[in-house]
Amino acid sequence: MRWALLAGLVLFSACVPMAVLQPPEPVRGERFTLGGSLFPAPMSSPYPVWGLPYLGYAVGDGQKEFSLSFQAPLRLGAKVQLAEGLSLDGGVSLFVDLNQGAVTGFSADAGLLLRMGRDFYFSPRLHRLPWGPLAPQLTLGYWGEGMAVEGGYGPGGPYLALGLSFQSAP
């Protein structure tokens, strides 16, 4: 039964969005983001659209940033600024068996965050999932005045993500 539950969680994680919900520039100080994603049901369901909450925390010095986010699974990330409005972002997502309290697998992602205009960003990235080949993701988003809205297409298909962000200065 546990293996079936674990397999279901891993399969479900491959079918859900992997929201970026972060601006191209590394944060200076701390940033908290609270939001969620909407996406087409990954399996037969009476509900055609599913939702998933998003919780993120980042700390940085304006040149580099370290982050922790949760949107099934837990993601540990880092971002470094390459040029004005351009950063390299990557992370490792950990799949945890809550019954045993152990990490049962992981995936990795890396991508660019490019500012387009004043408040828009574009993020092409690749995901290395534990059960298949590299999976591409394209995201277009808006980040401004403590609010983020993004749409994208990734390993789980199309998604729409919304977030509210709170930032403190160093």
Side-chain angles (χ1 to χ4, degrees):
M1 178 65 179
R2 285 185 184 177
W3 286 106
L5 178 61
L6 179 60
L9 285 174
V10 170
L11 177 64
F12 178 72
S13 297
C15 299
V16 299
M18 304 206 182
V20 176
L21 282 180
Q22 56 180 313
E25 294 78 17
V27 68
R28 183 179 305 276
E30 296 178 293
R31 180 180 60 241
F32 298 91
T33 305
L34 178 63
S37 296
L38 298 173
F39 54 99
M43 57 190 78
S44 180
S45 167
Y47 307 103
V49 176
W50 287 12
L52 192 62
Y54 176 94
L55 180 62
Y57 170 76
V59 61
D61 63 7
Q63 296 296 313
K64 60 188 173 303
E65 167 184 303
F66 298 97
S67 61
L68 176 66
S69 61
F70 178 76
Q71 187 175 30
L74 180 70
R75 181 182 183 268
L76 306 169
K79 183 184 346 177
V80 63
Q81 186 172 25
L82 301 175
E84 186 69 30
L86 177 65
S87 292
L88 177 64
D89 174 60
V92 175
S93 297
L94 306 174
F95 299 96
V96 178
D97 181 345
L98 297 177
N99 289 330
Q100 295 180 351
V103 174
T104 58
F106 68 94
S107 66
D109 69 275
L112 295 173
L113 283 157
L114 173 65
R115 178 159 303 287
M116 299 173 57
R118 189 176 139 213
D119 294 328
F120 291 91
Y121 62 91
F122 175 67
S123 180
R125 60 185 53 235
L126 288 174
H127 294 270
R128 176 65 177 149
L129 301 171
W131 48 86
L134 289 174
Q137 176 178 341
L138 294 175
T139 300
L140 181 60
Y142 167 85
W143 186 279
E145 301 304 317
M147 185 182 120
V149 178
E150 73 180 35
Y153 190 89
Y159 72 93
L160 175 67
L162 306 168
L164 296 175
S165 179
F166 310 95
Q167 185 168 331
S168 66

